[in-house]
Amino acid sequence: MRADYDKLTQIMHNIVDNAFNYTYADGTVTIGAERDNGSVIISIADTGIGIAKEKQERIWQRFFRDDEQDLVKGTSGTGLGLAIVREYVTMHNGEIWLESTPGAGSTFYVRIPVFAAE
Ligand SMILES: Nc1ncnc2c1ncn2[C@@H]1O[C@H](COP(=O)(O)OP(=O)(O)OP(=O)(O)O)[C@@H](O)[C@H]1O
Ligand SMILES: [Mg+2]
């Protein structure tokens, strides 16, 4: 892909970091990539705690954190990770979305054109 190396690294780092943080120790994180016409679609799937439907829109907001999940996992962060990810994906004319089922897990998808403009 023709893209910004540091920003792509940050995108992957933040999503994979979340996948591990919000998945129990015996869970699984699966990373995939496939070509889709002029784009690459990257998927990061976890078998973790999942995200309730009503929270799925809010996770992209700066400083949004789910307190209930802290109780479950004891993790702490700033709530900036996904806001930065979405900004970087947009810079690459890409898209980001997720599918999630509470109690079963989440899959984050990132689509970035192969020749993404900065
Ligand atoms: N894979 C996931 N499974 C379950 N919940 C998630 C997942 N990824 C993100 N979330 C939820 O979305 C919130 C926002 O994620 P984000 O990465 O922006 O912040 P953070 O992980 O809390 O902190 P930071 O990334 O800044 O250290 C998280 O606090 C969590 O509630
Ligand atoms: Mg995070």
Side-chain angles (χ1 to χ4, degrees):
M1 294 169 69
R2 193 176 296 259
D4 185 308
Y5 181 86
D6 291 332
K7 291 191 173 71
L8 266 191
T9 303
Q10 190 82 53
I11 289 167
M12 291 303 292
H13 178 90
N14 285 350
I15 299 174
V16 173
D17 186 55
N18 284 344
F20 278 98
N21 279 340
Y22 303 112
T23 301
Y24 293 103
D26 61 350
T28 308
V29 175
T30 307
I31 299 170
E34 64 179 63
R35 186 74 185 254
D36 177 49
N37 290 319
S39 294
V40 173
I41 298 176
I42 300 162
S43 59
I44 299 98
D46 67 59
T47 57
I49 58 181
I51 305 167
K53 197 88 196 160
E54 64 271 17
K55 285 176 185 151
Q56 290 182 15
E57 284 179 15
R58 299 171 58 207
I59 58 172
W60 313 104
Q61 294 169 11
R62 275 167 198 275
F63 306 115
F64 173 78
R65 305 206 66 246
D66 188 342
D67 298 340
E68 290 168 38
Q69 294 188 350
D70 282 352
L71 295 175
V72 176
K73 276 290 292 172
T75 57
S76 66
T78 60
L80 278 172
L82 288 176
I84 293 167
V85 164
R86 192 166 72 164
E87 196 175 310
Y88 287 174
V89 170
T90 303
M91 280 180 188
H92 284 86
N93 296 313
E95 280 180 289
I96 182 164
W97 69 97
L98 79 148
E99 289 165 6
S100 185
T101 307
S106 309
T107 303
F108 282 78
Y109 296 93
V110 177
R111 186 191 61 75
I112 292 182
V114 176
F115 296 105
E118 245 296 271

